[in-house]
Amino acid sequence: VMLNLRKCGHKDLERYYSLLEMDFAKEEIISKLSLHRALLNGSAELLVVYDEESSLEVAYALVLTKNLYGYVLLKYMAVLPWYRGKGVGIAAMRLINKRYADRQGIIAELTSFEDEDGSMIKGLRKFFARFGYVVVDSDYRSGAPVELMVKPIKGTFEIEPVEHRIIRDFYTRILNPFAMDKMIDIRPVRKPEE
């Protein structure tokens, strides 16, 4: 099966927003208005993965693309329910990695809101690690603890000293100050004194 990636617009966002609301916890969902604004000013891209033969859409991702540091943030990625377990997620990740191959790196936020034993986060970590993502220490909450992983491309994975600036820089471009305060709580990582 040949899968490809298409950059989408406002109509597609309208279609995909309800899926987004099903796939992600409400605490981590950016308002539809903010996302439309972000698509408009180029600080986010909605990407849809589709099958070239049938043109059926099989997965989607929302990536925050504007950043002073040259990284992109993979904010949401999900495979449509009826295509899960068929390797679509792996193909989608490869396409996303290829799309941003000229950037410093790709940052992923791992959150899980219903994860008593931590198995969901472990699964996510393992999935991203397959594609060269590395866990970085962070002190970050967005309704629940957020774990950061980064795939270094042209840049380094050692973003800890500036990651609070990088993350805030993505979001100040798309969230109003009120939403920013409510959603994004990230602090500099305190290193234990040697």
Side-chain angles (χ1 to χ4, degrees), residues 10-116:
H10 297 279
K11 269 205 195 85
D12 300 285
L13 178 58
E14 285 297 324
R15 285 191 305 132
Y16 272 92
Y17 198 79
S18 54
L19 266 177
L20 199 79
E21 291 178 305
M22 288 182 340
D23 286 326
F24 297 92
K26 65 178 189 302
E27 295 89 337
E28 59 181 334
I29 290 184
I30 296 168
S31 80
K32 197 196 281 184
L33 190 64
S34 295
L35 291 180
H36 275 297
R37 204 181 305 123
L39 293 187
L40 204 60
N41 71 23
S43 49
E45 291 187 331
L46 174 63
L47 305 172
V48 167
V49 179
Y50 65 97
D51 175 352
E52 283 187 342
E53 247 174 68
S54 62
S55 358
L56 287 173
E57 299 175 356
V58 294
Y60 67 92
L62 188 107
V63 182
L64 305 191
T65 51
K66 278 225 176 117
N67 190 267
L68 288 172
Y69 295 84
Y71 287 82
V72 297
L73 179 72
L74 180 53
K75 176 65 181 165
Y76 308 117
M77 188 194 98
V79 174
L80 301 191
W82 41 95
Y83 296 109
R84 287 179 191 158
K86 296 184 168 71
V88 170
I90 292 167
M93 280 297 281
R94 288 200 185 115
L95 289 166
I96 290 166
N97 291 343
K98 202 158 101 193
R99 181 174 183 83
Y100 300 111
D102 61 336
R103 301 302 184 99
Q104 293 299 309
I106 305 172
I107 298 170
E109 293 184 345
L110 278 47
T111 46
S112 56
F113 285 80
E114 327 245 303
D115 193 14
E116 275 76 52

Side-chain angles (χ1 to χ4, degrees), residues 156-171:
T156 171
F157 67 89
E158 291 171 345
I159 61 169
E160 283 157 22
V162 289
E163 70 191 13
H164 59 288
R165 292 204 194 106
I166 295 178
I167 295 295
R168 295 190 74 85
D169 187 41
F170 282 121
Y171 286 106

Side-chain angles (χ1 to χ4, degrees), residues 133-145:
Y133 286 75
V134 185
V135 176
V136 287
D137 277 340
S138 59
D139 181 0
Y140 183 12
R141 291 185 63 79
S142 182

